[in-house]
Amino acid sequence: QVHLVESGGGLVQPGGSLRLSCPASGSIFSINYMGWYRQAPGKGRELVAYITSGGTANYATSLKGRFTISRDNAKNTVFLQMNGLKFEDTAVYYCYATQAGSEYWGQGTQVSVSS
């Protein structure tokens, strides 16, 4: 089992920045992909970004340029730097990881963009 706990969410004004963190614990050998999804109120869960163990990052097209995903393999932690936040970025952000064909999810952290 891989345990994921997100942190770093909160309330921010439009144009502001937040950095989300998600360390993995438990049976953390051979974690392959780590990444982030989000779910806005009344909408389905959508991919934000993911990064491979080798450091290759992929983004939702609409978010590329404002969001940056990174990963510290030594600490088994994935990060999401979010800049230029907009009202429509308000959502619960979920961390996930894949390992040997299984997927693991965190409980989510709320990001609210409001003036």
Side-chain angles (χ1 to χ4, degrees):
Q1 283 278 0
V2 175
H3 303 284
L4 302 167
V5 180
E6 303 93 338
S7 64
L11 176 63
V12 64
Q13 292 185 339
S17 298
L18 284 174
R19 187 183 193 225
L20 306 183
S21 300
C22 180
S25 61
S27 299
I28 56 176
F29 60 91
S30 299
I31 291 177
N32 189 1
Y33 295 99
M34 297 188 79
W36 298 89
Y37 275 72
R38 69 183 184 183
Q39 187 165 17
K43 295 187 178 181
R45 195 172 291 192
E46 64 170 345
L47 174 69
V48 174
Y50 68 90
I51 186 167
T52 69
S53 57
T56 300
N58 290 272
Y59 298 89
T61 301
S62 62
L63 300 176
K64 196 171 185 178
R66 292 194 298 123
F67 289 15
T68 303
I69 191 171
S70 60
R71 179 171 175 171
D72 184 336
N73 286 330
K75 296 181 178 179
N76 295 292
T77 300
V78 64
F79 305 95
L80 185 68
Q81 178 67 42
M82 304 184 293
N83 299 328
L85 284 163
K86 304 176 180 180
F87 294 118
E88 54 264 40
D89 294 319
T90 294
V92 178
Y93 285 70
Y94 296 92
C95 170
Y96 81 97
T98 65
Q99 180 194 60
S102 296
E103 281 189 352
Y104 300 93
W105 293 86
Q107 294 298 306
T109 185
Q110 177 70 47
V111 171
S112 298
V113 184
S114 176
S115 55

